[in-house]
Amino acid sequence: MAGAAKELRLGLVCYGGSSLCIYMHGITKEINRLVSASASRAAGIAATTGSERVYVDLLEKLAGSGEKAPDLRVIVDVIAGTSAGGINGIFLGKALAGNRSQDALRDLWFDDGDMNQLVIGPRKFAGIPISWKAKIPLLLKRALKHSPLRGNDMAIWLHQALGKMDADPSNGGAASLLPPGHPLDLWVTITDFYGYERLIPLSRPRFVSDPRHRHVLNFHYESGGDDHFDDNAALTFAARTTSCFPAVFPPVNPAQLSQTLDASLDPMLARCFRIYELNGADPNKTYFIDGGVLDNKPFGWAIETITRSRPAESEVDRRLLYLEPDPGGFATSQGGGDPETLAAALGALTNIPRSEPILDDLLDVQEHNERVARIRDVIEVNFDRVAALIDPIVPDDLLAGQAPQQWPWADWNKQVNEIVAANAGMPYATYLRLKIAAVLHGFAQAICTSCNYPAESNQAALVRAAVDCWAAARGLYGGLLHDGDAQPCAERERLPPSRPFEPTPEQIRFLQAFDLGFMRRRVRFVVAALNWWYRCVGVDGFPTRQQLDDGKAILYENIATLDALAHLHLSDGAGQSERDAVERLKELVRAAFPVDSLAAFLQKEGVDGTAYARSHAGELANLFAAAEAFYSERVRDLGPALLAQLAPVTADWTPARRRDLIVRYIGFPMWDVLLYPVQELSQIGEGDAIEVVRVSPHEATLLPVPEGGKVEGKREHHFYAFFSREARENDYLWGRLDAAEQLVRLLLDSSNEDEPIHTWCKQLFGAILDEEEQALTTIKPKVAQLRTEIAAL
């Protein structure tokens, strides 16, 4: 790549929409092309298709457009899909993880996504094809008991298409389109028709039983780590199940599907259905249907992944794309006539469940961004005030004259914490209460991860309750909890104004050892400063892009260390003594919360954390003591070591910029007491604002819109493309063309360049037609007309 990199990170949300999935596939195919071009360019490998070569040329042009121009690398790091959109997400995820071609899915939609192929009954009579319309009498006769479409055949076609992707493992380029160490997550929603019986704890009775139907499957890829996209049987189960439209496709049973495919689903069932096992349920004994029935909101999974686990070591632009083949328009009137029975049924099963969650999710994103803006205001308003409080504590001559390892850290931290307590006033106790509760919750999560207790399970609820109750009994909430036996009507003694709240030695020792979240927020706060300064690259007195990238790499290495500590994960180079220490701690975890013991306790006592903490006080005491020693030893010198690592990177910075960095790091407790309660109570986490981009026919405006619109599949309640190969070819092609235009706009926006968009799109459109013309056997006149329109751009 030509210069300092900037990442354009894309998240993708694929909703349902019946035959609209074919237009969506054109979009995912084009996204695949752009990412492949970007990866090939980064690896110094020649592009393999005409459209990829155009993208490479555009990226080269943007990188060389000026001294300040970043070198873009395009990455997809999360995909969330449901219903037919889930199929496209699955195939795109496999294509990205292993650099595979998606032509097999295109051919599946063209050849097998046809009602004559899908409807049950003979396909030919005396060698003559039988139309699906001729089978209607047979279908009506058995419609009440049997679904009209071939579920097993669809599963076999999907499995074969996934196998064809593996047949060309290199696809002419790198082994994967993800950078080394960069994860990809795919989320696919499904619905358990019968549900598993979930025991829900109450005050009285101890439990009530209710079926749980909503479920989600996760597929993860990371070079050198997990690769769930190699499991074609699991991917087929996800694709066949998430798109199992009620009353159209037959429901899916894992055991039966495994027999149909002659492939085991056991690894996927063990990984994705652990909560069934803990509740005494067996996923092989139930049936699954369309994910959009109950969880047609894949936005949430994508947003959670982006905000919680997607750091970037260089400058990054994040865009969350959602695919909307039929966005409609602004309503000119409300209401309408009395819908017919079939229209009402189809609307209830498709249009309404698909549209309403989109509105909800977009409103959620808007509220998230508003909260992020408020938090940024708090930081900016208080920066000078915090800097003024830090000045007397951290003199300039000491910063310049000594290495970070020689700075009086303990004294600085003590003074800063005293200032925080004195200036925060009454809210300080609230801050401390929330911090201790969050640290205990995080420790409980680490226990559940070690024991493989899903967060929603009753076992996890008991772990959280027991850890919290044991900590309260130990005194970690001293002065921070109300007296549960206090009488509300009793007269209270009027007390004189008290001095600022001061944490107890027990609380200080506990937080110093266990509060990895505070340390992580502190480093992230410095990362935010570097991200902000990317806007100032080239301005006198500010760091260069390379210096910012180097600083972020160091900071994220420290975050990775903290995350690994939190979950007791070991690096590949960990020594034997470190492995032994982690294994001893895990043994104490298993001794305190063994699965058989928890199951028996839950049956007898329910989620009674106090009783469990009391009956297992010895095991919990041993676990906490060992964990405190383990963490204390490993976090003690992280702060000085981090700033020592940053010292060479910042050596050429102006004193003002170095001091800004120190003020952020040393003074972070002052910001944390202001920001953390807001972040914790609003569940905003540490995320940045999320920019959402709709990808639809409306946003692509360069080519003339055909009479009747671009997407033919939107007719007949979004089923029309399943009745016409011509419509399927048309929709797929328009999906690629519309996506190409919108992806070029994204590249230009991310690089802040003013390149003529029609010039690049003209090249791309022509390349797309060249690539696809041979497969588009039924719309040759449309292709010819498009060539004429493209030439006129």
Side-chain angles (χ1 to χ4, degrees):
M1 299 178 71
K6 175 181 179 181
E7 292 182 355
L8 175 58
R9 297 272 190 97
L10 303 180
L12 200 63
V13 176
C14 306
Y15 283 87
S18 303
S19 74
L20 296 178
C21 61
I22 298 164
Y23 177 87
M24 291 186 208
H25 175 53
I27 297 173
T28 59
K29 179 74 164 286
E30 197 60 25
I31 292 171
N32 192 172
R33 285 282 196 261
L34 171 57
V35 175
S36 179
S38 178
S40 297
R41 179 172 172 269
I45 300 172
T48 57
T49 67
S51 58
E52 289 180 22
R53 284 191 286 273
V54 177
Y55 283 124
V56 168
D57 290 344
L58 175 55
L59 291 169
E60 291 281 357
K61 174 72 173 176
L62 295 175
S65 59
E67 184 178 343
K68 299 181 183 179
D71 198 342
L72 288 179
R73 173 75 188 263
V74 184
I75 300 167
V76 173
D77 56 10
V78 61
I79 305 167
T82 192
S83 196
I87 296 179
N88 290 321
I90 289 164
F91 277 78
L92 176 61
K94 184 175 179 70
L96 296 173
N99 192 12
R100 306 292 204 263
S101 167
Q102 291 195 75
D103 285 348
L105 180 60
R106 178 200 62 190
D107 297 341
L108 186 154
W109 288 132
F110 284 2
D111 299 333
D112 300 318
D114 188 280
M115 277 300 167
N116 288 339
Q117 288 286 95
L118 291 169
V119 171
I120 59 173
R123 296 189 176 101
K124 292 183 179 181
F125 179 75
I128 301 174
I130 301 175
S131 168
W132 65 273
K133 297 178 182 179
K135 303 176 187 178
I136 288 179
L138 173 64
L139 297 178
L140 292 175
K141 187 175 180 178
R142 53 178 284 159
L144 294 178
K145 291 187 177 181
H146 300 282
S147 299
L149 302 190
R150 302 172 182 270
N152 284 347
D153 285 358
M154 187 63 184
I156 291 170
W157 297 334
L158 288 165
H159 194 246
Q160 289 173 343
L162 291 164
K164 289 177 183 177
M165 294 178 74
D166 292 331
D168 182 13
S170 67
N171 193 28
S176 172
L177 300 184
L178 278 297
H182 193 100
L184 169 68
D185 275 289
L186 167 71
W187 302 93
V188 181
T189 64
I190 63 176
T191 303
D192 185 339
F193 181 81
Y194 291 106
Y196 65 91
E197 289 300 313
R198 174 76 188 274
L199 295 178
I200 305 169
L202 298 177
S203 298
R204 183 177 300 140
R206 182 170 290 118
F207 286 105
V208 295
S209 175
D210 209 34
R212 176 73 161 177
H213 298 273
R214 184 184 293 113
H215 203 71
V216 66
L217 305 175
N218 174 243
F219 295 87
H220 184 81
Y221 168 82
E222 191 165 352
S223 60
D226 293 330
D227 184 2
H228 299 148
F229 292 94
D230 276 346
D231 189 345
N232 287 342
L235 293 172
T236 301
F237 172 79
R240 172 70 179 82
T241 303
T242 191
S243 60
C244 185
F245 193 86
V248 176
F249 276 109
V252 181
N253 172 261
Q256 292 178 3
L257 182 64
S258 182
Q259 291 181 347
T260 298
L261 301 177
D262 191 23
S264 175
L265 292 172
D266 290 344
M268 182 273 297
L269 294 177
R271 179 171 58 83
C272 296
F273 290 88
R274 167 69 167 166
I275 196 167
Y276 279 58
E277 177 187 348
L278 293 174
N279 282 271
D282 183 355
N284 278 310
K285 294 182 179 179
T286 189
Y287 286 80
F288 295 89
I289 59 175
D290 196 305
V293 172
L294 290 179
D295 195 2
N296 200 26
K297 296 184 67 174
F299 252 111
W301 298 104
I303 292 170
E304 176 74 11
T305 304
I306 290 170
T307 57
R308 300 290 179 182
S309 59
R310 289 298 183 267
E313 293 183 1
S314 61
E315 184 181 8
V316 62
D317 276 352
R318 299 184 189 274
R319 300 290 185 272
L320 185 58
L321 312 184
Y322 79 96
L323 313 189
E324 180 68 304
D326 184 19
F330 293 108
T332 56
S333 63
Q334 300 296 321
D338 184 4
E340 298 176 356
T341 301
L342 180 59
L346 290 174
L349 289 172
T350 58
N351 295 357
I352 295 174
R354 187 176 60 85
S355 300
E356 194 68 19
I358 296 177
L359 173 62
D360 293 341
D361 285 333
L362 292 178
L363 291 174
D364 288 345
V365 172
Q366 181 183 1
E367 291 175 1
H368 168 89
N369 290 341
E370 289 171 355
R371 291 193 295 268
V372 168
R374 293 190 203 109
I375 288 175
R376 186 175 296 140
D377 288 342
V378 172
I379 296 171
E380 294 176 3
V381 166
N382 286 280
F383 192 93
D384 291 339
R385 183 168 180 266
V386 171
L389 292 171
I390 294 295
D391 282 342
I393 300 174
V394 186
D396 287 334
D397 57 345
L398 190 148
L399 291 178
Q402 294 184 0
Q405 297 95 322
Q406 299 173 314
W407 294 346
W409 282 94
D411 183 52
W412 286 354
N413 285 329
K414 180 181 178 182
Q415 291 185 62
V416 168
N417 286 324
E418 288 174 352
I419 292 173
V420 168
N423 283 271
M426 288 187 294
Y428 184 70
T430 302
Y431 165 71
L432 196 64
R433 169 73 172 83
L434 288 172
K435 279 224 304 180
I436 291 174
V439 172
L440 290 168
H441 183 80
F443 187 57
Q445 281 183 313
I447 292 171
C448 292
T449 299
S450 180
C451 298
N452 196 13
Y453 298 147
E456 287 190 349
S457 66
N458 290 328
Q459 285 81 357
L462 180 58
V463 169
R464 291 191 294 266
V467 165
D468 200 60
C469 292
W470 190 86
R474 177 181 167 180
L476 288 179
Y477 285 118
L480 300 174
L481 289 175
H482 72 84
D483 183 354
D485 297 325
Q487 298 300 315
C489 300
E491 292 292 338
R492 295 180 178 271
E493 180 183 359
R494 183 168 297 179
L495 300 175
S498 61
R499 57 186 298 183
F501 179 86
E502 293 183 3
T504 66
E506 181 80 4
Q507 290 166 341
I508 293 173
R509 191 170 68 250
F510 171 77
L511 290 174
Q512 285 176 339
F514 286 91
D515 199 357
L516 302 179
F518 172 83
M519 302 175 199
R520 193 182 195 279
R521 293 194 302 276
R522 189 178 218 169
V523 179
R524 283 279 301 169
F525 195 64
V526 179
V527 169
L530 302 190
N531 286 337
W532 186 261
W533 287 341
Y534 278 115
R535 309 177 189 199
C536 305
V537 168
V539 177
D540 288 342
F542 283 88
T544 66
R545 184 180 299 277
Q546 188 61 55
Q547 289 171 336
L548 294 174
D549 290 350
D550 292 344
K552 286 185 66 177
I554 292 169
L555 293 168
Y556 276 120
E557 285 176 8
N558 279 262
I559 290 175
T561 298
L562 292 168
D563 289 345
L565 274 176
H567 296 98
L568 298 180
H569 291 165
L570 290 168
S571 65
D572 294 337
Q576 190 58 48
S577 61
E578 188 72 3
R579 295 182 181 278
D580 291 342
V582 168
E583 186 53 39
R584 283 194 297 272
L585 200 52
K586 288 184 176 181
E587 288 176 1
L588 291 172
V589 167
R590 292 189 288 267
F593 297 101
V595 61
D596 292 339
S597 176
L598 259 66
F601 185 90
L602 284 166
Q603 286 288 334
K604 183 180 179 182
E605 303 289 344
V607 184
D608 188 337
T610 301
Y612 192 90
R614 188 183 302 118
S615 61
H616 294 76
E619 293 93 334
L620 286 168
N622 292 337
L623 172 59
F624 267 92
E628 183 175 319
F630 177 86
Y631 287 120
S632 295
E633 180 181 348
R634 285 156 181 80
V635 304
R636 184 182 304 115
D637 298 323
L638 284 181
L642 170 59
L643 290 186
Q645 287 178 282
L646 288 174
V649 175
T650 63
D652 296 334
W653 293 14
T654 64
R657 295 291 82 75
R658 285 202 304 270
R659 185 164 189 85
D660 282 349
L661 214 60
I662 295 299
V663 166
R664 274 188 170 252
Y665 191 85
I666 300 296
F668 176 71
M670 300 183 190
W671 273 292
D672 201 43
V673 77
L674 296 172
L675 301 175
Y676 180 69
V678 178
Q679 293 172 321
E680 180 68 12
L681 294 175
S682 65
Q683 293 297 302
I684 195 173
E686 304 155 19
D688 298 323
I690 299 170
E691 295 193 30
V692 180
V693 176
R694 184 179 73 176
V695 183
S696 85
H698 288 192
E699 279 69 58
T701 58
L702 289 180
L703 292 172
V705 179
E707 185 178 353
K710 299 176 183 178
V711 184
E712 296 185 14
K714 69 182 181 181
R715 293 154 53 188
E716 305 300 334
H717 302 284
H718 296 162
F719 276 91
Y720 180 73
F722 291 144
F723 300 100
S724 165
R725 174 164 181 142
E726 182 178 347
R728 294 196 294 279
E729 291 184 7
N730 172 84
D731 290 0
Y732 166 74
L733 178 59
W734 272 112
R736 283 204 65 181
L737 295 172
D738 285 351
E741 178 181 336
Q742 293 174 77
L743 291 175
V744 170
R745 293 186 189 278
L746 279 178
L747 294 176
L748 297 180
D749 288 345
S750 190
S751 58
N752 296 316
E753 290 302 318
D754 208 13
E755 280 287 303
I757 185 171
H758 67 279
T759 301
W760 291 100
C761 286
K762 184 175 182 177
Q763 297 180 54
L764 262 179
F765 295 159
I768 290 169
L769 292 184
D770 291 342
E771 291 171 17
E772 302 291 355
E773 188 166 15
Q774 186 174 355
L776 304 174
T777 59
T778 66
I779 60 169
K780 292 189 180 299
K782 292 184 179 181
V783 172
Q785 180 181 352
L786 280 166
R787 287 196 183 278
T788 300
E789 293 168 349
I790 292 168
L793 289 177

